[in-house]
């Protein structure tokens, strides 16, 4: 395999993986606060269709992105109301939200299926950085939303692990009782985390419909929201590892098609299976006690917090 | 109202959408004039029902309006398969004006019970002729047809017929061949790339037709093919198209439904042959042409027959000469010489002097699969399981 081929795999892998990175980082924020958001797929769809529609109306892709983010956040707010305030089952609520969003986005986007967007995000070579041998071509000849992810991922990591805000958020996810006793608002923190996480999912969807494959087709996320949730486990709740994992999964997709072009038989079903296979392996690894203590899920993940049961 | 029916399970996969036709299904003549339509939902044997009422006998009302309905698998504005059928429906409305009333239902799943419900809905409402436009609707259409002997049904892309159910499809390979010529003429380095959905016989046949067309003008041209295993997954199609460009292709084409392939070609300065409809607006610079479906002629004929009371069941397999398949308007990248070459090939195909798969045809290993001077029977074409010479990629086993 030539070095040229490897470079092109990573160039495509980063572009294809960015949507997973956005969605997974958002999911990490929500899960770190103790809320399992299974509605990511639906929030991505909402972001994709809203972003596309707004861009079509105003011909400004950044406004489309903003609208996509708001759509994801709005749907997440609905999830927060149900699972944080009304303590509904997080799994069931998340699933219901996805099914709702598939129908709703199909309806909203009905008139723009197969309609080209007026403006889209295109690849821009960053002056200077793109001249770095190999890495420059891989990382710095991408579109603006990919560059945005380069900023958002480390920023999220820094906030989660290096600031008091992040500490508070994680403590709510680990032990809401303790956090409550320490005077933190469990409800407020979880609302914020879920809504911000939904905003990321909306961004992931807008990236698909405005940059990656500029168009709208019903259900265009095609399961990427679920891969993102798997990626969170793969990344053991760290935004940095989620970015690595996202690029890796994206590269695996790119690799699969390239193997086909050189005449090697690789089933795309097999390729599609890979992220989940990785995730299962990681799940098995982290289920071992010693590793688990260092890396495992937020303790209160998936549980509603009921104050009187403290 | 008995909602029993729907014996056969399965077949709900979308890729079963437009598969094989069976030309050998002979015309089953049966004078099934109709015009009564109404809710004659009898208990459904339907077998006895020659029911040959004359055209006029149905109409106690003199200005009887014929009601025609379409059942679509996708959204009406998908810019592809379903759009082509809906354009046919609109042509019927335009042709007949007040004489006809049309309706449609979109996004009908190929799941048998759901499809039957959609089809029966129209039959019960008194529609006279019902077109069902996806392979997976075949059995549900047949079931409903048995229950409503006074309604006539037209199923696209299948192979079953009944006294009041015809089937229809078209020789897309002819249009693919012509489009392949445009691609073969446009490529500078002789490398083509194709994004395919599934490795099923229909897609293989059309891929081969495209390759043969390209090599008829550019004998050294080769083509790489990747499969996405989905009709509709724009991000995956984009990755697939990028991989073809990276592998050296400078003209891309597709057997998938979204324009993502064209967007990739457009952004990279490559050329693009679309599929199903004129999608040039997605990448005007890259656009060469596209093989497209045009159902309007067939639909107008069949609705006319329903109006006249002369409708008969049968199997229809239209081709270039019939106008069922065609090429979309050329982009600026197609030069005059290529256009005239394509025009003269088109004449030969239309007059049956040339067939796309006439021998000698070699497979990708160089073995002769169709000897010189022979043309394969339609059954062989419909079951095609090899790539022809020039295609580099292997078929997934």
């Amino acid at each position: 395999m030539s070095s040229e081929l490897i470079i092109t795999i990573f160039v495509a892998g980063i572009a294809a993986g960015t949507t997973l990175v956005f969605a997974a980082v958002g999911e990490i924020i929500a899960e770190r606060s103790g809320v399992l958001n299974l509605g990511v797929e639906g929030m991505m769809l909402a972001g994709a269709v809203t972003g596309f529609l707004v861009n079509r109306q105003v011909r400004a892709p950044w406004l489309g992105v903003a609208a996509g983010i708001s759509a994801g956040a709005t749907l997440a707010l609905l999830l927060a109301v149900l699972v944080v305030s009304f303590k509904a089952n997080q799994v069931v609520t998340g699933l219901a939200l996805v099914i709702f969003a598939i129908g709703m986005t199909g309806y909203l986007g009905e008139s723009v299926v197969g309609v080209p967007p007026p403006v889209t995000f295109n690849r821009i070579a960053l002056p200077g950085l793109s001249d770095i041998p190999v890495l420059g071509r891989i990382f710095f000849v991408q579109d603006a939303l990919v560059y945005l992810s380069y900023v958002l991922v480390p920023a999220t990591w820094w906030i989660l692990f290096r600031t008091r805000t992040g500490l508070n958020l994680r403590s709510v996810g680990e032990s809401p009782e303790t956090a409550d006793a320490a005077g933190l608002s469990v409800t407020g923190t979880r609302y914020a985390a879920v809504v911000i996480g939904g905003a990321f999912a909306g961004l992931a969807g807008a990236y698909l419909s405005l940059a990656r494959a500029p168009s709208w087709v019903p259900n265009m996320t095609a399961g990427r929201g679920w891969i993102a949730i798997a990626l969170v486990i793969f990344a053991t709740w760290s935004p940095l590892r989620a970015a690595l994992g996202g690029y890796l999964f994206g590269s695996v997709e790119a690799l699969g098609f390239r193997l086909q072009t050189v005449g090697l038989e690789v089933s795309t079903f097999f390729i599609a299976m890979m992220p989940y296979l990785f995730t299962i392996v990681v799940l098995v690894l982290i289920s071992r006690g010693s590793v688990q203590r260092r890396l495992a899920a937020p303790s209160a993940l998936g549980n509603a917090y009921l104050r009187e049961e403290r | 109202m008995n909602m029993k029916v729907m014996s056969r399970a399965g077949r709900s996969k979308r890729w079963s959408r437009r598969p094989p036709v069976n030309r050998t299904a002979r015309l089953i003549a049966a004078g099934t004039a109709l015009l009564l339509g109404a809710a004659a939902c009898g208990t459904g044997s339907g077998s006895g029902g020659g029911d040959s009422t004359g055209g006029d006998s149905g109409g106690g009302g003199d200005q009887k309006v014929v009601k025609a309905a379409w059942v679509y698998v996708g959204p009406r504005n998908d810019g592809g398969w379903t759009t082509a059928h809906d354009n046919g429906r609109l042509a019927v409305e335009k042709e007949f004006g007040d004489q006809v009333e049309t309706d449609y239902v979109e996004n009908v799943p190929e799941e048998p019970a759901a499809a039957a419900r959609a089809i029966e809905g129209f039959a019960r409402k008194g529609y006279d002729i019902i077109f069902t436009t996806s392979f997976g609707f075949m059995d549900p259409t047949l079931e409903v047809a048995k229950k409503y002997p006074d309604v006539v049904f037209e199923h696209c892309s299948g192979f079953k017929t009944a006294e009041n159910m015809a089937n229809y499809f078209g020789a897309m390979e002819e249009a693919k061949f012509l489009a392949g010529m445009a691609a073969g003429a446009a490529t500078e380095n002789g490398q083509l790339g194709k994004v395919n959905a599934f490795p099923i016989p229909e897609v293989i046949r059309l891929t081969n037709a495209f390759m043969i067309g390209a090599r008829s003008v550019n004998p050294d041209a080769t083509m790489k093919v990747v499969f996405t295993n989905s009709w509709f997954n724009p991000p995956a199609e984009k990755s697939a198209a990028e991989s073809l460009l990276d592998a050296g292709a400078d003209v891309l084409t597709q057997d998938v439904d979204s324009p993502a392939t064209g967007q990739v070609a457009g952004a990279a300065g490559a050329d693009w042959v679309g599929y199903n409809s004129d999608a040039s607006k997605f990448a005007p610079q890259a656009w060469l042409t596209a093989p497209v479906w045009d159902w309007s002629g067939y639909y107008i004929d069949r609705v006319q027959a329903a109006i006249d009371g002369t409708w008969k069941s049968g199997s229809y397999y239209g081709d270039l000469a019939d106008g069922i398949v065609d090429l979309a308007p050329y982009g600026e990248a197609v030069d005059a010489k290529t256009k005239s070459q394509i025009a003269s090939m088109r004449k030969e195909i239309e007059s049956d002097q040339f067939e796309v798969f006439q021998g000698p045809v070699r497979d990708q290993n160089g073995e002769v699969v169709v000897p010189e001077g022979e043309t394969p029977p339609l059954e062989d074409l419909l079951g095609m399981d090899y790539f022809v010479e020039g295609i580099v990629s292997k078929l997934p086993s």
Side-chain angles (χ1 to χ4, degrees):
Chain A
M1 199 182 288
S2 70
S3 61
E4 181 61 28
L5 181 62
I6 293 170
I7 291 174
T8 65
I9 288 170
F10 285 117
V11 172
I14 286 189
T18 295
T19 189
L20 299 176
V21 173
F22 282 135
V25 167
E27 181 67 11
I28 286 170
I29 297 171
E31 291 196 13
R32 279 284 180 183
S33 81
V35 179
L36 179 64
N37 173 9
L38 288 188
V40 180
E41 176 91 357
M43 293 165 196
M44 287 172 71
L45 281 171
V49 76
T50 314
F52 189 88
L53 286 168
V54 167
N55 178 42
R56 188 170 141 70
Q57 283 304 317
V58 301
R59 295 167 180 271
W62 282 107
L63 281 179
V65 168
I69 290 173
S70 320
T74 307
L75 214 50
L77 182 63
L78 178 63
L79 179 86
V81 169
L82 293 171
V83 304
V84 179
S85 295
F86 294 112
K87 330 264 187 232
N89 180 301
Q90 295 182 6
V91 173
V92 176
T93 310
L95 291 175
L97 213 57
V98 173
I99 296 165
F100 162 72
I102 288 174
M104 186 196 66
T105 55
Y107 174 70
L108 288 177
E110 209 177 353
S111 60
V112 292
V113 176
V115 173
V119 253
T120 62
F121 287 99
N122 295 315
R123 289 200 164 160
I124 310 160
L126 285 191
L129 288 171
S130 58
D131 299 330
I132 303 169
V134 183
L135 292 183
R137 276 188 59 202
I138 295 177
F139 288 99
F140 300 112
V141 190
Q142 301 280 4
D143 59 65
L145 291 180
V146 174
Y147 297 139
L148 178 64
S149 76
Y150 296 165
V151 178
L152 286 180
V153 171
T156 306
W157 175 85
W158 191 77
I159 290 170
L160 276 180
F161 297 104
R162 290 291 181 274
T163 66
R164 181 158 292 276
T165 313
L167 182 66
N168 291 347
L169 186 147
R170 285 184 292 130
S171 66
V172 167
E174 291 295 338
S175 174
E177 301 82 0
T178 319
D180 195 8
L184 297 171
S185 165
V186 173
T187 304
T189 306
R190 287 189 167 177
Y191 259 89
V194 170
V195 169
I196 293 170
F200 270 89
L203 174 59
Y207 173 74
L208 275 185
S209 68
L210 294 173
R212 181 66 193 147
S215 57
W216 164 255
V217 285
N219 209 6
M220 77 181 293
T221 50
R224 284 172 179 76
W226 301 109
I227 296 181
I229 291 171
L231 187 57
V232 170
I233 304 166
F234 179 82
T236 57
W237 293 269
S238 156
L240 299 181
R241 281 190 293 265
L244 274 181
Y247 298 148
L248 179 69
F249 287 3
S251 302
V252 168
E253 178 183 304
L255 171 72
F257 288 126
R258 275 161 186 77
L259 290 179
Q260 288 189 34
T261 64
V262 295
L264 282 170
E265 272 181 42
V266 186
S267 165
T268 43
F269 291 117
F270 182 79
I271 299 291
M273 180 188 88
M274 295 304 285
Y276 299 98
L277 196 65
F278 281 132
T279 304
I280 292 170
V281 170
V282 172
L283 270 178
V284 170
L285 287 179
I286 66 171
S287 63
R288 294 171 52 179
S290 60
V291 188
Q292 193 171 30
R293 241 163 284 129
R294 281 195 298 131
L295 297 175
S299 313
L301 180 59
N303 301 326
Y305 176 59
L306 300 159
R307 194 171 232 199
E308 52 275 28
E309 284 181 3
R310 195 169 3 152
Chain B
M1 199 97 3
N2 53 342
M3 280 296 292
K4 50 167 190 122
V5 301
M6 277 24 302
S7 44
R8 299 193 98 161
R11 280 207 196 277
S12 58
K13 288 215 180 82
R14 186 150 185 252
W15 60 260
S16 66
R17 188 181 62 180
R18 15 168 173 148
V21 235
N22 187 347
R23 197 180 210 169
T24 58
R26 289 277 57 114
L27 298 182
I28 305 167
T32 347
L34 34 123
L35 299 178
L36 270 178
C41 45
T43 43
S45 78
S47 53
D51 190 44
S52 42
T53 50
D56 48 352
S57 73
D62 313 315
Q63 294 107 358
K64 170 80 167 98
V65 171
V66 164
K67 295 172 80 178
W70 277 258
V71 178
Y72 299 141
V73 70
R76 193 163 59 98
N77 52 4
D78 67 356
W81 177 253
T82 297
T83 297
H85 285 286
D86 200 58
N87 289 340
R89 179 184 69 84
L90 295 172
V92 165
E93 279 196 341
K94 200 170 166 207
E95 175 79 15
F96 297 107
D98 294 343
Q99 278 182 284
V100 48
E101 189 184 317
T102 77
D103 199 0
Y104 60 87
V105 52
E106 314 170 272
N107 291 316
V108 174
E110 294 196 308
E111 189 264 313
R117 211 157 36 238
I119 299 163
E120 184 162 8
F122 283 124
R124 197 184 297 136
K125 275 190 273 180
Y127 278 80
D128 305 297
I129 180 163
I130 299 171
F131 296 91
T132 60
T133 63
S134 185
F135 180 74
F137 297 160
M138 180 168 64
D139 288 326
T141 305
L142 188 61
E143 291 291 343
V144 179
K146 283 181 181 163
K147 285 174 73 175
Y148 294 85
D150 294 335
V151 179
V152 296
F153 296 84
E154 296 260 356
H155 176 247
C156 181
S157 79
F159 51 86
K160 293 187 181 172
T161 56
E163 284 186 9
N164 60 336
M165 172 180 163
N167 72 47
Y168 61 101
F169 207 25
M172 179 47 85
E173 55 270 21
E174 296 181 350
K176 286 275 180 181
F177 175 92
L178 298 181
M181 292 176 67
T187 177
E188 280 166 24
N189 64 9
Q191 296 188 45
L192 314 177
K194 187 157 187 275
V195 179
N196 274 350
F198 296 95
I200 56 173
E202 178 199 358
V203 171
I204 294 169
R205 180 176 79 253
L206 299 184
T207 302
N208 286 342
F210 191 88
M211 184 79 252
I212 293 172
R215 281 169 81 96
S216 74
V217 294
N218 189 343
D220 297 326
T222 60
M223 181 156 72
K224 289 173 174 145
V225 177
V226 294
F227 291 94
T228 62
N229 284 328
S230 158
W231 285 115
F232 230 11
N233 186 344
E237 287 163 29
K238 185 151 187 187
S239 288
E242 286 172 344
S243 75
L244 291 165
L245 287 184
D246 289 342
D250 67 355
V251 180
L252 297 184
T253 186
Q254 62 186 79
D255 245 303
V256 287
D257 288 347
S258 98
T261 304
Q263 291 174 326
V264 171
D271 290 324
W272 173 42
V273 173
Y275 184 34
N276 273 332
S277 65
D278 183 352
S280 53
K281 57 193 173 187
F282 280 92
Q285 302 300 316
W287 182 256
L288 296 177
T289 181
V292 296
W293 292 101
D294 178 4
W295 304 103
S296 48
Y298 182 75
Y299 286 158
I300 288 170
D301 284 354
R302 300 306 273 177
V303 172
Q304 181 72 57
I307 291 171
D308 299 343
T310 55
W311 189 95
K312 282 187 170 57
S313 178
S315 283
Y316 176 82
Y317 193 69
D319 54 20
L320 266 180
D322 303 317
I324 283 282
V325 294
D326 204 346
L327 284 187
Y330 294 116
E332 286 173 11
V334 184
D335 58 37
K337 182 182 161 220
T338 309
K339 286 180 192 169
S340 77
Q341 277 180 318
I342 293 176
S344 72
M345 259 342 267
R346 182 185 187 122
K347 280 207 190 75
E348 288 193 31
I349 293 176
E350 286 181 352
S351 59
D352 290 333
Q353 290 161 18
F354 177 81
E355 291 207 25
V356 174
F357 290 103
Q358 73 184 26
V361 175
R362 291 173 199 275
D363 70 11
Q364 62 184 165
N365 304 319
E367 313 264 340
V368 174
V369 278
V370 181
E372 174 108 43
E374 290 185 22
T375 46
L378 193 68
E379 286 79 359
D380 286 8
L381 298 184
L382 297 180
M384 202 168 263
D385 59 355
Y386 56 86
F387 275 151
V388 296
E389 196 169 37
I391 298 178
V392 182
S393 313
K394 297 277 184 294
L395 265 177
S397 46

